[in-house]
Each structure stands twice: as C-alpha cells, then as structure tokens.
Amino acid sequence: MITAPDRPRDRSISDLVREALWFLTHTLVAVVLLGGVLGVMTMNHPDPNSPGPKVVASVLAFLVPMFGGLLISRFQRNSTARYVWISGLVVFTIVSVWVLDLPTGVGLCEHCGSVEKIWRTFFSFSHGSGLMSGDGPLIGAWIPLAMVSYAFGARFGLEP
C-alpha cells in the first residue's frame, strides 16, 4: 500500500513553502533585533571582562525581541511567528553539542563535566570556561533567547 504524503490535506505545497519562508523571515527578524541591541551596546564601549554589561545585554536580548515580536505580529497577524522558539531550541542544541566537543586544557575548564562546561561557557559571566573565545553567551545564550522571546511576544501579539 502506498502511503500519502506527510502533509495536511487542506494545504498545498505552495502554502507550506510560504509558511516555511515566513518562519525563516521571523527567525531572521529576531536575530536582527538582537543585532541592534548588541550594536547599541557596542557603541557604549563596555568593559568585556565586567559582568554588568553582559547582564544588561541578557535582559535586552530578551525584552527587545519580545516587544518586536509583539508589534510585528500585532500588525501582520501571521501565526507562524509563534513557532520561532523552535529555531532557538535548535540553535542552542547544536551549539551545546559543539561546545561539548571542544578540546579543553589548562585554564579551559580542564576538569569540567558536561553540565558545568555548558553552564560556564554560556551562562557564567564572571567565571567563564575560556572556550569559544568568550563568545559563548552571544552564540549559545543570547541568540536562542532572542528567538524564544520573539515567539513569546508574538504569541501575546496575536491574542485578541
């Protein structure tokens, strides 16, 4: 017996492609909003070793994409924006696997377990792991956070 294609019966291939393109567009918008936050913060020349600017960047990486998702979905009324959190989860998972594969050495989280390696690379601002040249919070925490908060804001923007 031949099975039917794995897609809803009421949608054509062009509808599914359109939804996929909207999904990628909303994901890109979330990353661009994060880029705007980081651009503004970079113009202020923060101390790269201080945890204060990193905490502020974390808060803004959540709030700005959330309000952006709320406003965009309020005006556009596209329900695909609610699912951008999936992109954030995929990015976090891929980067986590990559970090776990990175070699460690003296001063680079030498005796860390898996959870500590991920925690110190992505979420510790004062005592990092030394892996990813200090870009762990950006790649592993702020980008996924921006995508999740964009979807969160879009969900509230679509409610009546």
Side-chain angles (χ1 to χ4, degrees), residues 111-127:
H111 301 290
C112 294
S114 299
V115 174
E116 185 180 7
K117 195 174 188 182
I118 297 232
W119 180 262
R120 287 181 55 190
T121 302
F122 297 153
F123 307 114
S124 179
F125 299 140
S126 59
H127 186 61

Side-chain angles (χ1 to χ4, degrees), residues 25-105:
T25 302
H26 285 294
T27 300
L28 183 64
V29 168
V31 173
V32 166
L33 289 170
L34 174 65
V37 166
L38 296 178
V40 168
M41 290 210 51
T42 301
M43 287 192 283
N44 291 326
H45 303 291
D47 180 20
N49 297 324
S50 175
K54 294 176 185 176
V55 171
V56 170
S58 298
V59 170
L60 291 176
F62 179 79
L63 291 177
V64 171
M66 184 179 71
F67 286 122
L70 185 129
L71 291 175
I72 290 171
S73 64
R74 191 64 70 154
F75 292 116
Q76 187 187 31
R77 309 303 294 173
N78 187 339
S79 64
T80 309
R82 292 184 297 186
Y83 303 109
V84 173
W85 67 269
I86 297 169
S87 292
L89 184 64
V90 169
V91 167
F92 181 75
T93 304
I94 290 171
V95 175
S96 294
V97 169
W98 178 45
V99 165
L100 290 175
D101 234 10
L102 288 174
T104 59

